[in-house]
């Protein structure tokens, strides 16, 4: 069993309205694992969350018939019921202070249906002074629920991932739902679940979770000025100001530049490639490739100013690029992005690749996102000199 399981104690409440998810699994990486004094303070079995009570919501109460105890070195509960997500677990009614949200741009997960939930400690604020790198208060929790599809096509609860910020850093795990959907328990080891209940859905390993999340300064994927902008549901940058969760949202009024095709393609690459891996953070998995696809606040004045254009167009792939599985494995054939020519753009080829190391996204997917491929292909086909793009490289 994973080593971080919470002591019976209080669950942090939230300053968010009643309800309207790059990824968890495994305990925190070594540099943020909680120390012996980092567990949540002990409280009695009737401990209550300290978030506000909203009319019609269900207050969370620590269950007495669930495994909410912890081993000596743990901080996360064995049972999902103990995390504070649901006020009424059997009815799947969210606890007071937990808010459901949907970002404007979503990470591809092989078509799985996802729901995302968040709680912020009462009276605390998210630091958004750097619109590219939010910083969250201790006690913040994010959950992401996956519904997966079996052979018959019917959807069912598969897993719920949890991130919790402690004094020592972020800890995280995945809760696997039983086949009858009556219970969700921490996965039994750090090695993930390669084929959950025969659905083809893979619960990520501890190392896979770390690989994605360490590309963010404060670990969380799916929350930034753009993902909470137009198209977001449940939680938006405007609602966070109204709720007092952020002090000033003026710096967050950002938008993706370009026409419809450019905006959609850049947003897709931001969410699926740039936020976690393809950026200049020293620990980002794809930092050394030099191909950066995250949209930075200071570079949104024009399409030409974005990292995707500056580091991708007519750039040869890095020396350590992988070509196995491609129809043409000759490195001389490829550019990261070749204007007007998706067939020689490695970005597209890797979107279409599966079952080889060079596939993109590299982990968490076994199926090609055809809609995403079409978005990026359309963008590249529209890169003409008359619209501000350079001519294609030789």
């Amino acid at each position: 069993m994973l080593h971080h399981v919470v002591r019976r104690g209080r669950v942090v409440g939230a300053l968010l309205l009643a309800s309207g998810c790059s990824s968890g699994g495994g305990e925190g990486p070594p540099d943020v694992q909680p120390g012996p004094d980092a567990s949540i303070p002990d409280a009695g079995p009737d401990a209550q969350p300290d978030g506000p009570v909203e009319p019609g919501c269900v207050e969370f109460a620590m269950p007495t018939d669930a495994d909410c105890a912890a081993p000596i070195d743990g901080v996360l509960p064995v049972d999902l019921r103990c995390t504070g997500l649901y006020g009424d677990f059997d009815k799947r009614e969210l606890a007071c202070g937990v808010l459901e949200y949907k970002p404007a741009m979503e990470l591809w997960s092989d078509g799985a249906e996802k729901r995302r939930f968040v709680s912020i400690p009462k009276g605390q604020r998210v630091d958004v002074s750097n619109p590219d790198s939010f910083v969250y208060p201790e006690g913040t929790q994010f959950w992401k629920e996956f519904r997966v599809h079996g052979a018959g096509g019917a959807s069912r609860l598969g897993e719920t991932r949890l991130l919790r910020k402690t004094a020592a850093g972020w800890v995280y795990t995945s809760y696997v739902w039983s086949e009858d959907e009556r219970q969700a328990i921490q996965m039994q080891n750090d090695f993930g679940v390669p084929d959950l209940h025969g659905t083809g859905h893979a619960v990520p390993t501890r190392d896979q979770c770390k690989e994605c999340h360490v590309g963010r300064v404060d670990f969380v994927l799916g929350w930034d000025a753009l993902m909470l902008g137009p198209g977001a549901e449940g939680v938006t940058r405007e609602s966070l100001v109204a709720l007092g969760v952020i002090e000033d949202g003026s710096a967050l009024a950002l938008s993706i530049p370009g026409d419809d095709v450019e905006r959609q393609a850049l947003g897709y690459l931001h969410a699926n490639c740039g936020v976690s891996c393809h950026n200049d953070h020293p620990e980002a998995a794809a930092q050394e490739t030099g191909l950066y696809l995250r949209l930075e606040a200071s570079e949104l004045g024009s399409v030409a100013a974005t990292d995707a254009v500056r580091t991708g167009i007519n750039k040869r792939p890095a020396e350590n690029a992988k070509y196995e599985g491609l129809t043409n494995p000759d490195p001389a054939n490829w550019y990261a992005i070749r204007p007007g020519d998706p067939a020689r753009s490695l970005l597209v080829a890797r979107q279409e690749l599966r079952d080889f190391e060079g596939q993109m996204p590299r982990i968490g997917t076994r199926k090609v996102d055809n809609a995403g491929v079409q978005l990026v292909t359309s963008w590249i086909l529209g890169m003409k000199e008359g619209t501000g793009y350079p001519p294609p490289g030789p």
Side-chain angles (χ1 to χ4, degrees):
M1 180 168 292
L2 294 182
H3 302 298
H4 48 285
V5 189
V6 79
R7 295 178 183 176
R8 187 180 300 277
R10 68 179 179 88
V11 172
V12 180
L15 185 64
L16 295 178
L17 294 174
S19 67
C21 278
S22 81
S23 302
E27 64 184 11
D31 55 337
V32 297
Q33 282 186 0
D37 300 322
S39 57
I40 294 176
D42 289 334
D46 298 322
Q48 299 291 320
D50 48 0
V53 176
E54 300 293 336
C57 66
V58 183
E59 290 188 54
F60 173 76
M62 188 68 71
T64 58
D65 61 342
D67 188 355
C68 297
I72 295 174
D73 58 352
V75 295
L76 289 178
V78 169
D79 196 314
L80 179 63
R81 288 190 294 164
C82 309
T83 67
L85 174 58
Y86 296 111
D88 188 323
F89 183 85
D90 292 334
K91 295 180 179 179
R92 307 291 187 267
E93 293 182 5
L94 298 181
C96 296
V98 176
L99 184 67
E100 183 171 0
Y101 71 96
K102 181 179 180 180
M105 300 162 285
E106 297 189 78
L107 176 68
W108 169 248
S109 300
D110 287 357
E113 301 168 32
K114 291 178 282 189
R115 297 176 68 192
R116 301 166 180 83
F117 314 97
V118 62
S119 69
I120 306 294
K122 180 181 179 181
Q124 298 296 309
R125 286 177 171 163
V126 177
D127 181 356
V128 297
S129 56
N130 180 348
D132 295 322
S133 302
F134 292 0
V135 178
Y136 302 87
E138 180 184 340
T140 296
Q141 295 195 110
F142 285 89
W143 297 264
K144 183 157 64 172
E145 172 192 286
F146 289 75
R147 295 193 69 89
V148 296
H149 296 269
S155 68
R156 46 158 302 162
L157 285 170
E159 62 163 317
T160 298
R161 302 175 188 176
L162 169 64
L163 306 178
R164 177 185 289 170
K165 190 171 186 181
T166 71
W170 288 92
V171 290
Y172 47 101
T173 195
S174 291
Y175 294 90
V176 176
W177 286 86
S178 60
E179 294 201 54
D180 61 8
E181 300 186 5
R182 296 176 62 87
Q183 191 175 41
I185 300 298
Q186 276 200 53
M187 63 180 181
Q188 296 299 300
N189 53 52
D190 290 338
F191 306 110
V193 182
D195 185 7
L196 183 61
H197 302 317
T199 64
H201 176 81
V203 179
T205 69
R206 169 182 173 174
D207 287 342
Q208 287 173 332
C209 297
K210 178 182 177 181
E211 178 178 323
C212 285
H213 281 273
V214 294
R216 271 299 213 195
V217 170
D218 203 20
F219 211 66
V220 175
L221 310 176
W223 257 49
D224 60 30
L226 294 173
M227 290 192 179
L228 297 178
E233 299 176 12
V235 176
T236 66
R237 55 200 186 194
E238 292 80 14
S239 70
L240 291 179
V241 174
L243 291 164
V245 176
I246 61 177
E247 183 173 3
D248 181 7
S250 59
L252 306 185
L254 306 175
S255 59
I256 303 173
D259 60 26
D260 286 345
V261 172
E262 291 168 321
R263 286 194 298 271
Q264 290 181 51
L266 289 169
Y268 178 87
L269 293 172
H270 173 75
N272 283 270
C273 313
V275 167
S276 59
C277 294
H278 280 273
N279 62 72
D280 62 0
H281 189 284
E283 293 189 73
Q287 185 271 339
E288 64 181 19
T289 69
L291 175 62
Y292 301 148
L293 301 171
R294 190 168 71 187
L295 293 168
E296 307 285 354
S298 62
E299 299 165 356
L300 297 177
S302 67
V303 173
T306 63
D307 275 348
V309 170
R310 295 188 304 104
T311 69
I313 290 186
N314 285 333
K315 304 293 185 181
R316 292 291 188 177
E319 291 184 2
N320 62 348
K322 305 294 189 295
Y323 300 96
E324 184 182 5
L326 300 178
T327 54
N328 187 341
D330 182 1
N333 178 70
W334 298 103
Y335 292 87
I337 301 172
R338 188 171 189 263
D341 190 1
R344 292 185 62 189
S345 297
L346 193 58
L347 183 63
V348 175
R350 288 193 168 164
Q351 282 185 275
E352 297 175 320
L353 187 67
R354 287 297 181 272
D355 301 322
F356 291 93
E357 188 176 355
Q359 75 165 49
M360 292 293 156
R362 199 182 75 78
I363 57 179
T365 172
R366 297 174 176 175
K367 301 176 183 178
V368 174
D369 181 3
N370 293 316
V373 171
Q374 185 57 50
L375 277 177
V376 177
T377 297
S378 296
W379 177 43
I380 294 174
L381 286 171
M383 293 178 178
K384 308 297 183 184
E385 291 184 63
T387 60
Y389 290 93

mmCIF file of all heavy atoms in Angstrom, residues 92 109-115 145-159 177-181 196-201 367:
data_model
loop_
_atom_site.group_PDB
_atom_site.id
_atom_site.type_symbol
_atom_site.label_atom_id
_atom_site.label_comp_id
_atom_site.label_asym_id
_atom_site.label_seq_id
_atom_site.Cartn_x
_atom_site.Cartn_y
_atom_site.Cartn_z
ATOM 1 N N ARG A 92 -22.880 10.802 -3.727
ATOM 2 C CA ARG A 92 -21.860 11.550 -4.444
ATOM 3 C C ARG A 92 -22.142 13.055 -4.410
ATOM 4 O O ARG A 92 -21.925 13.771 -5.378
ATOM 5 C CB ARG A 92 -21.722 11.087 -5.893
ATOM 6 C CG ARG A 92 -21.498 9.603 -6.070
ATOM 7 C CD ARG A 92 -20.136 9.146 -5.577
ATOM 8 N NE ARG A 92 -19.931 7.749 -5.939
ATOM 9 C CZ ARG A 92 -20.218 6.715 -5.149
ATOM 10 N NH1 ARG A 92 -20.718 6.939 -3.932
ATOM 11 N NH2 ARG A 92 -20.009 5.476 -5.538
ATOM 12 N N SER A 109 -7.021 12.454 -22.441
ATOM 13 C CA SER A 109 -6.876 11.245 -21.613
ATOM 14 C C SER A 109 -7.622 10.080 -22.240
ATOM 15 O O SER A 109 -8.421 9.397 -21.588
ATOM 16 C CB SER A 109 -7.391 11.501 -20.192
ATOM 17 O OG SER A 109 -6.671 12.538 -19.563
ATOM 18 N N ASP A 110 -7.394 9.890 -23.516
ATOM 19 C CA ASP A 110 -7.987 8.769 -24.260
ATOM 20 C C ASP A 110 -9.507 8.763 -24.212
ATOM 21 O O ASP A 110 -10.138 7.696 -24.248
ATOM 22 C CB ASP A 110 -7.437 7.431 -23.759
ATOM 23 C CG ASP A 110 -6.000 7.194 -24.204
ATOM 24 O OD1 ASP A 110 -5.464 8.035 -24.940
ATOM 25 O OD2 ASP A 110 -5.422 6.168 -23.819
ATOM 26 N N GLY A 111 -10.093 9.937 -24.125
ATOM 27 C CA GLY A 111 -11.542 10.046 -24.164
ATOM 28 C C GLY A 111 -12.242 9.788 -22.850
ATOM 29 O O GLY A 111 -13.485 9.771 -22.801
ATOM 30 N N ALA A 112 -11.483 9.599 -21.771
ATOM 31 C CA ALA A 112 -12.108 9.381 -20.465
ATOM 32 C C ALA A 112 -12.902 10.622 -20.057
ATOM 33 O O ALA A 112 -12.510 11.755 -20.327
ATOM 34 C CB ALA A 112 -11.049 9.074 -19.413
ATOM 35 N N GLU A 113 -14.039 10.398 -19.412
ATOM 36 C CA GLU A 113 -14.821 11.509 -18.874
ATOM 37 C C GLU A 113 -14.199 11.918 -17.539
ATOM 38 O O GLU A 113 -13.929 11.073 -16.688
ATOM 39 C CB GLU A 113 -16.269 11.074 -18.664
ATOM 40 C CG GLU A 113 -16.961 10.582 -19.934
ATOM 41 C CD GLU A 113 -18.270 9.892 -19.627
ATOM 42 O OE1 GLU A 113 -18.936 10.290 -18.645
ATOM 43 O OE2 GLU A 113 -18.627 8.934 -20.335
ATOM 44 N N LYS A 114 -14.005 13.209 -17.354
ATOM 45 C CA LYS A 114 -13.329 13.681 -16.150
ATOM 46 C C LYS A 114 -14.159 14.751 -15.441
ATOM 47 O O LYS A 114 -14.806 15.573 -16.087
ATOM 48 C CB LYS A 114 -11.951 14.255 -16.502
ATOM 49 C CG LYS A 114 -10.956 13.209 -16.956
ATOM 50 C CD LYS A 114 -9.626 13.807 -17.340
ATOM 51 C CE LYS A 114 -9.661 14.443 -18.717
ATOM 52 N NZ LYS A 114 -8.324 14.845 -19.186
ATOM 53 N N ARG A 115 -14.099 14.707 -14.122
ATOM 54 C CA ARG A 115 -14.639 15.781 -13.295
ATOM 55 C C ARG A 115 -13.523 16.223 -12.354
ATOM 56 O O ARG A 115 -12.725 15.404 -11.895
ATOM 57 C CB ARG A 115 -15.864 15.324 -12.499
ATOM 58 C CG ARG A 115 -17.038 14.919 -13.367
ATOM 59 C CD ARG A 115 -18.179 14.392 -12.511
ATOM 60 N NE ARG A 115 -18.776 15.448 -11.689
ATOM 61 C CZ ARG A 115 -19.631 15.214 -10.675
ATOM 62 N NH1 ARG A 115 -19.933 13.968 -10.336
ATOM 63 N NH2 ARG A 115 -20.141 16.222 -9.993
ATOM 64 N N GLU A 145 -11.566 13.109 -11.045
ATOM 65 C CA GLU A 145 -12.280 11.835 -11.168
ATOM 66 C C GLU A 145 -12.318 11.397 -12.625
ATOM 67 O O GLU A 145 -12.586 12.204 -13.511
ATOM 68 C CB GLU A 145 -13.703 12.010 -10.630
ATOM 69 C CG GLU A 145 -14.632 10.841 -10.863
ATOM 70 C CD GLU A 145 -16.069 11.225 -10.554
ATOM 71 O OE1 GLU A 145 -16.412 11.352 -9.358
ATOM 72 O OE2 GLU A 145 -16.859 11.421 -11.524
ATOM 73 N N PHE A 146 -12.058 10.122 -12.859
ATOM 74 C CA PHE A 146 -12.077 9.558 -14.205
ATOM 75 C C PHE A 146 -13.198 8.528 -14.320
ATOM 76 O O PHE A 146 -13.277 7.593 -13.513
ATOM 77 C CB PHE A 146 -10.753 8.856 -14.518
ATOM 78 C CG PHE A 146 -9.597 9.780 -14.720
ATOM 79 C CD1 PHE A 146 -8.987 10.403 -13.640
ATOM 80 C CD2 PHE A 146 -9.099 10.035 -15.985
ATOM 81 C CE1 PHE A 146 -7.910 11.250 -13.811
ATOM 82 C CE2 PHE A 146 -8.020 10.882 -16.175
ATOM 83 C CZ PHE A 146 -7.431 11.491 -15.092
ATOM 84 N N ARG A 147 -14.037 8.708 -15.325
ATOM 85 C CA ARG A 147 -14.989 7.668 -15.716
ATOM 86 C C ARG A 147 -14.433 7.006 -16.971
ATOM 87 O O ARG A 147 -14.067 7.694 -17.929
ATOM 88 C CB ARG A 147 -16.370 8.243 -15.982
ATOM 89 C CG ARG A 147 -17.043 8.832 -14.757
ATOM 90 C CD ARG A 147 -18.519 9.102 -15.013
ATOM 91 N NE ARG A 147 -19.266 7.866 -15.158
ATOM 92 C CZ ARG A 147 -19.836 7.199 -14.148
ATOM 93 N NH1 ARG A 147 -19.741 7.672 -12.915
ATOM 94 N NH2 ARG A 147 -20.495 6.085 -14.359
ATOM 95 N N VAL A 148 -14.352 5.698 -16.952
ATOM 96 C CA VAL A 148 -13.734 4.954 -18.047
ATOM 97 C C VAL A 148 -14.786 4.097 -18.738
ATOM 98 O O VAL A 148 -15.877 3.864 -18.211
ATOM 99 C CB VAL A 148 -12.570 4.100 -17.535
ATOM 100 C CG1 VAL A 148 -11.468 4.994 -16.981
ATOM 101 C CG2 VAL A 148 -13.031 3.118 -16.455
ATOM 102 N N HIS A 149 -14.450 3.616 -19.916
ATOM 103 C CA HIS A 149 -15.398 2.856 -20.724
ATOM 104 C C HIS A 149 -14.908 1.416 -20.884
ATOM 105 O O HIS A 149 -13.773 1.179 -21.304
ATOM 106 C CB HIS A 149 -15.564 3.504 -22.096
ATOM 107 C CG HIS A 149 -16.153 4.873 -22.034
ATOM 108 N ND1 HIS A 149 -17.510 5.107 -22.116
ATOM 109 C CD2 HIS A 149 -15.578 6.086 -21.857
ATOM 110 C CE1 HIS A 149 -17.745 6.407 -22.008
ATOM 111 N NE2 HIS A 149 -16.580 7.021 -21.846
ATOM 112 N N GLY A 150 -15.780 0.470 -20.569
ATOM 113 C CA GLY A 150 -15.459 -0.937 -20.727
ATOM 114 C C GLY A 150 -15.764 -1.426 -22.128
ATOM 115 O O GLY A 150 -16.088 -0.654 -23.038
ATOM 116 N N ALA A 151 -15.690 -2.744 -22.310
ATOM 117 C CA ALA A 151 -15.883 -3.338 -23.629
ATOM 118 C C ALA A 151 -17.268 -3.054 -24.174
ATOM 119 O O ALA A 151 -17.464 -2.916 -25.385
ATOM 120 C CB ALA A 151 -15.643 -4.849 -23.552
ATOM 121 N N GLY A 152 -18.258 -2.963 -23.303
ATOM 122 C CA GLY A 152 -19.616 -2.698 -23.759
ATOM 123 C C GLY A 152 -19.903 -1.242 -24.043
ATOM 124 O O GLY A 152 -20.996 -0.904 -24.514
ATOM 125 N N GLY A 153 -18.955 -0.369 -23.736
ATOM 126 C CA GLY A 153 -19.115 1.046 -24.016
ATOM 127 C C GLY A 153 -19.691 1.858 -22.874
ATOM 128 O O GLY A 153 -19.649 3.085 -22.903
ATOM 129 N N ALA A 154 -20.258 1.198 -21.870
ATOM 130 C CA ALA A 154 -20.838 1.928 -20.744
ATOM 131 C C ALA A 154 -19.728 2.529 -19.889
ATOM 132 O O ALA A 154 -18.682 1.910 -19.674
ATOM 133 C CB ALA A 154 -21.702 0.997 -19.906
ATOM 134 N N SER A 155 -19.953 3.750 -19.387
ATOM 135 C CA SER A 155 -18.948 4.397 -18.551
ATOM 136 C C SER A 155 -19.142 4.004 -17.099
ATOM 137 O O SER A 155 -20.251 3.698 -16.663
ATOM 138 C CB SER A 155 -19.029 5.914 -18.700
ATOM 139 O OG SER A 155 -20.222 6.414 -18.140
ATOM 140 N N ARG A 156 -18.052 4.027 -16.352
ATOM 141 C CA ARG A 156 -18.085 3.676 -14.944
ATOM 142 C C ARG A 156 -16.956 4.410 -14.243
ATOM 143 O O ARG A 156 -15.979 4.834 -14.857
ATOM 144 C CB ARG A 156 -17.915 2.169 -14.765
ATOM 145 C CG ARG A 156 -16.789 1.583 -15.593
ATOM 146 C CD ARG A 156 -16.307 0.288 -15.054
ATOM 147 N NE ARG A 156 -15.852 0.472 -13.687
ATOM 148 C CZ ARG A 156 -15.700 -0.532 -12.833
ATOM 149 N NH1 ARG A 156 -15.957 -1.751 -13.206
ATOM 150 N NH2 ARG A 156 -15.270 -0.301 -11.607
ATOM 151 N N LEU A 157 -17.088 4.598 -12.942
ATOM 152 C CA LEU A 157 -16.043 5.238 -12.162
ATOM 153 C C LEU A 157 -14.784 4.371 -12.183
ATOM 154 O O LEU A 157 -14.845 3.166 -11.923
ATOM 155 C CB LEU A 157 -16.499 5.454 -10.721
ATOM 156 C CG LEU A 157 -17.487 6.593 -10.490
ATOM 157 C CD1 LEU A 157 -18.045 6.538 -9.080
ATOM 158 C CD2 LEU A 157 -16.822 7.935 -10.742
ATOM 159 N N GLY A 158 -13.643 5.004 -12.497
ATOM 160 C CA GLY A 158 -12.392 4.276 -12.555
ATOM 161 C C GLY A 158 -11.437 4.643 -11.440
ATOM 162 O O GLY A 158 -11.029 3.798 -10.647
ATOM 163 N N GLU A 159 -11.081 5.919 -11.365
ATOM 164 C CA GLU A 159 -10.150 6.366 -10.326
ATOM 165 C C GLU A 159 -10.426 7.819 -9.990
ATOM 166 O O GLU A 159 -10.992 8.573 -10.781
ATOM 167 C CB GLU A 159 -8.699 6.218 -10.779
ATOM 168 C CG GLU A 159 -8.340 7.054 -11.989
ATOM 169 C CD GLU A 159 -6.834 7.230 -12.193
ATOM 170 O OE1 GLU A 159 -6.116 7.482 -11.199
ATOM 171 O OE2 GLU A 159 -6.396 7.164 -13.355
ATOM 172 N N TRP A 177 -11.574 2.856 -7.797
ATOM 173 C CA TRP A 177 -12.950 2.499 -7.463
ATOM 174 C C TRP A 177 -13.170 1.001 -7.650
ATOM 175 O O TRP A 177 -12.671 0.391 -8.598
ATOM 176 C CB TRP A 177 -13.934 3.265 -8.331
ATOM 177 C CG TRP A 177 -14.052 4.713 -7.949
ATOM 178 C CD1 TRP A 177 -13.269 5.739 -8.375
ATOM 179 C CD2 TRP A 177 -15.003 5.276 -7.043
ATOM 180 N NE1 TRP A 177 -13.664 6.924 -7.793
ATOM 181 C CE2 TRP A 177 -14.736 6.671 -6.969
ATOM 182 C CE3 TRP A 177 -16.060 4.755 -6.302
ATOM 183 C CZ2 TRP A 177 -15.481 7.536 -6.188
ATOM 184 C CZ3 TRP A 177 -16.809 5.623 -5.507
ATOM 185 C CH2 TRP A 177 -16.513 6.985 -5.453
ATOM 186 N N SER A 178 -13.927 0.427 -6.731
ATOM 187 C CA SER A 178 -14.295 -0.982 -6.855
ATOM 188 C C SER A 178 -15.242 -1.151 -8.036
ATOM 189 O O SER A 178 -15.845 -0.186 -8.528
ATOM 190 C CB SER A 178 -14.972 -1.467 -5.565
ATOM 191 O OG SER A 178 -16.154 -0.706 -5.314
ATOM 192 N N GLU A 179 -15.383 -2.382 -8.487
ATOM 193 C CA GLU A 179 -16.207 -2.620 -9.671
ATOM 194 C C GLU A 179 -17.665 -2.264 -9.436
ATOM 195 O O GLU A 179 -18.382 -1.909 -10.375
ATOM 196 C CB GLU A 179 -16.059 -4.076 -10.127
ATOM 197 C CG GLU A 179 -14.648 -4.394 -10.634
ATOM 198 C CD GLU A 179 -14.616 -5.611 -11.532
ATOM 199 O OE1 GLU A 179 -15.370 -5.641 -12.518
ATOM 200 O OE2 GLU A 179 -13.831 -6.519 -11.246
ATOM 201 N N ASP A 180 -18.129 -2.339 -8.193
ATOM 202 C CA ASP A 180 -19.517 -1.961 -7.907
ATOM 203 C C ASP A 180 -19.660 -0.474 -7.576
ATOM 204 O O ASP A 180 -20.747 -0.012 -7.253
ATOM 205 C CB ASP A 180 -20.097 -2.816 -6.771
ATOM 206 C CG ASP A 180 -19.329 -2.650 -5.448
ATOM 207 O OD1 ASP A 180 -18.448 -1.767 -5.362
ATOM 208 O OD2 ASP A 180 -19.617 -3.401 -4.497
ATOM 209 N N GLU A 181 -18.550 0.272 -7.647
ATOM 210 C CA GLU A 181 -18.526 1.721 -7.425
ATOM 211 C C GLU A 181 -18.959 2.125 -6.014
ATOM 212 O O GLU A 181 -19.379 3.254 -5.786
ATOM 213 C CB GLU A 181 -19.387 2.456 -8.463
ATOM 214 C CG GLU A 181 -18.941 2.226 -9.889
ATOM 215 C CD GLU A 181 -19.708 3.067 -10.900
ATOM 216 O OE1 GLU A 181 -20.536 3.903 -10.481
ATOM 217 O OE2 GLU A 181 -19.482 2.879 -12.107
ATOM 218 N N LEU A 196 -7.079 -0.948 -15.895
ATOM 219 C CA LEU A 196 -8.034 -0.899 -14.791
ATOM 220 C C LEU A 196 -9.331 -1.608 -15.160
ATOM 221 O O LEU A 196 -10.043 -1.193 -16.076
ATOM 222 C CB LEU A 196 -8.309 0.561 -14.420
ATOM 223 C CG LEU A 196 -9.236 0.791 -13.233
ATOM 224 C CD1 LEU A 196 -8.655 0.179 -11.956
ATOM 225 C CD2 LEU A 196 -9.494 2.286 -13.037
ATOM 226 N N HIS A 197 -9.632 -2.691 -14.455
ATOM 227 C CA HIS A 197 -10.870 -3.452 -14.653
ATOM 228 C C HIS A 197 -11.090 -3.857 -16.107
ATOM 229 O O HIS A 197 -12.229 -3.973 -16.565
ATOM 230 C CB HIS A 197 -12.079 -2.655 -14.149
ATOM 231 C CG HIS A 197 -12.003 -2.261 -12.710
ATOM 232 N ND1 HIS A 197 -11.575 -3.116 -11.711
ATOM 233 C CD2 HIS A 197 -12.288 -1.079 -12.084
ATOM 234 C CE1 HIS A 197 -11.607 -2.495 -10.538
ATOM 235 N NE2 HIS A 197 -12.031 -1.261 -10.733
ATOM 236 N N GLY A 198 -10.000 -4.034 -16.852
ATOM 237 C CA GLY A 198 -10.131 -4.458 -18.236
ATOM 238 C C GLY A 198 -10.643 -3.399 -19.186
ATOM 239 O O GLY A 198 -11.039 -3.697 -20.317
ATOM 240 N N THR A 199 -10.591 -2.118 -18.770
ATOM 241 C CA THR A 199 -11.102 -1.030 -19.617
ATOM 242 C C THR A 199 -10.035 -0.431 -20.521
ATOM 243 O O THR A 199 -10.345 0.381 -21.395
ATOM 244 C CB THR A 199 -11.673 0.102 -18.743
ATOM 245 O OG1 THR A 199 -10.605 0.685 -17.966
ATOM 246 C CG2 THR A 199 -12.757 -0.421 -17.791
ATOM 247 N N GLY A 200 -8.774 -0.790 -20.284
ATOM 248 C CA GLY A 200 -7.682 -0.169 -21.025
ATOM 249 C C GLY A 200 -7.163 1.099 -20.383
ATOM 250 O O GLY A 200 -6.124 1.629 -20.800
ATOM 251 N N HIS A 201 -7.859 1.597 -19.371
ATOM 252 C CA HIS A 201 -7.417 2.809 -18.672
ATOM 253 C C HIS A 201 -6.261 2.464 -17.739
ATOM 254 O O HIS A 201 -6.319 1.485 -16.992
ATOM 255 C CB HIS A 201 -8.564 3.410 -17.866
ATOM 256 C CG HIS A 201 -8.162 4.605 -17.049
ATOM 257 N ND1 HIS A 201 -8.044 5.869 -17.576
ATOM 258 C CD2 HIS A 201 -7.842 4.718 -15.728
ATOM 259 C CE1 HIS A 201 -7.678 6.712 -16.636
ATOM 260 N NE2 HIS A 201 -7.550 6.039 -15.499
ATOM 261 N N LYS A 367 -4.249 6.084 -27.064
ATOM 262 C CA LYS A 367 -5.029 6.376 -28.261
ATOM 263 C C LYS A 367 -4.650 7.746 -28.806
ATOM 264 O O LYS A 367 -4.394 8.679 -28.042
ATOM 265 C CB LYS A 367 -6.531 6.352 -27.944
ATOM 266 C CG LYS A 367 -7.042 5.032 -27.387
ATOM 267 C CD LYS A 367 -8.511 5.150 -27.020
ATOM 268 C CE LYS A 367 -9.023 3.848 -26.390
ATOM 269 N NZ LYS A 367 -10.456 3.982 -25.978
#
